[in-house]
């Protein structure tokens, strides 16, 4: 199997690092030279990785093509490219929906939209795909937990929540900076905060079959610190603003 990646940003980097550490068997990975820093870094990771200056040449050599460019670039370049009939095309592009992709590609290919996130580099985390596809599911099952979605309208909800990655990291950054401002050393503050949230996330995942509100309730004691924190954040409408943010992201995706 020969894989081609058009676009070499952080997501492509994470996916390829994940592939290199997985059981996925491939002959070659072809990379576009769009981001020379990342493409050069990845090339050094494996002799099977080859950089291509021309996107069409990359497509001609690949069995699977991954579209990992911005929506603006995607709208500009995809319609100028020619894909092979039996190719599997996986799009990571957030705001170009399937009907538009088919229009741009002009071919009856197996086109699947996927939402990989940076933890895919360590082969962890959810990977929603639409529409369901056995080959694509099998591929990504080596890199994380695949969630198949039958309805593109519903898939947009998953794209929306994927937009909360940076806000999550900003929360960790804020907590770390707060500890540092109180005199805690940087390395200790960062280690503590990231370790704390890894543990909380793993605990939440292990209880994910239950209503998550149970975790909220069980993590509080009467007049305790967590009860105080939740009460104050609710008073500041922190959680309401999170919902409003998701709705705004969803509106953008529906355009």
């Amino acid at each position: 199997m020969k894989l081609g990646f058009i676009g070499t940003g952080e997501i492509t980097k994470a996916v390829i690092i994940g592939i290199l550490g997985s059981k996925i068997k491939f002959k070659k990975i072809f990379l576009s030279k769009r981001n020379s820093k990342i493409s050069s870094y990845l090339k050094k990771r494996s002799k099977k990785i080859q950089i291509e200056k021309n996107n069409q040449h990359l497509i001609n050599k690949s069995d699977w093509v991954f579209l990992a460019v911005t929506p603006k670039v995607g709208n500009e370049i995809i319609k100028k490219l020619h894909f092979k009939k039996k190719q599997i095309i996986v799009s990571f592009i957030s705001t170009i929906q399937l009907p538009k992709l088919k229009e741009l590609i002009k071919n009856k290919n197996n086109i699947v939209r996927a939402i990989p996130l940076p933890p895919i580099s360590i082969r962890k985390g959810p990977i929603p795909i639409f529409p369901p596809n056995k080959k694509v599911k099998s591929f990504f099952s080596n890199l994380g937990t695949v969630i198949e979605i039958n309805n593109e309208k519903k898939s947009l909800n998953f794209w929306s929540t994927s937009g909360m990655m940076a806000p999550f990291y900003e929360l960790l950054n804020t907590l770390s900076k707060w500890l540092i401002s109180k005199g805690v050393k940087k390395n200790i503050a960062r280690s503590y905060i990231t370790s704390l949230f890894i543990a909380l996330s793993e605990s939440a995942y292990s209880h994910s079959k239950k209503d998550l509100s149970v975790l909220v309730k069980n993590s509080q004691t009467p007049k305790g610190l967590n009860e105080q924190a939740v009460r104050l954040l609710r008073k500041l409408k922190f959680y309401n603003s999170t919902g409003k943010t998701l709705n705004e992201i969803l509106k953008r995706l529906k355009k």
Side-chain angles (χ1 to χ4, degrees), residues 234-252:
R234 283 174 176 164
K235 189 175 181 180
L236 292 168
K237 298 185 178 179
F238 175 82
Y239 303 106
N240 287 343
S241 65
T242 301
K244 289 178 181 178
T245 299
L246 287 168
N247 286 332
E248 288 300 314
I249 294 172
L250 184 61
K251 282 181 185 178
R252 178 185 172 191

Side-chain angles (χ1 to χ4, degrees), residues 15 17 36 54 56 58 70 135 173 222 238 249:
V15 173
I17 290 173
S36 58
N54 185 289
Q56 188 58 58
L58 181 152
T70 64
K135 289 183 179 179
N173 186 37
F238 175 82
I249 294 172

Side-chain angles (χ1 to χ4, degrees), residues 52-65:
E52 291 289 332
K53 295 180 181 179
N54 185 289
N55 285 331
Q56 188 58 58
H57 291 168
L58 181 152
I59 291 170
N60 295 342
K61 295 178 179 180
S62 303
D63 301 308
W64 288 37
V65 177

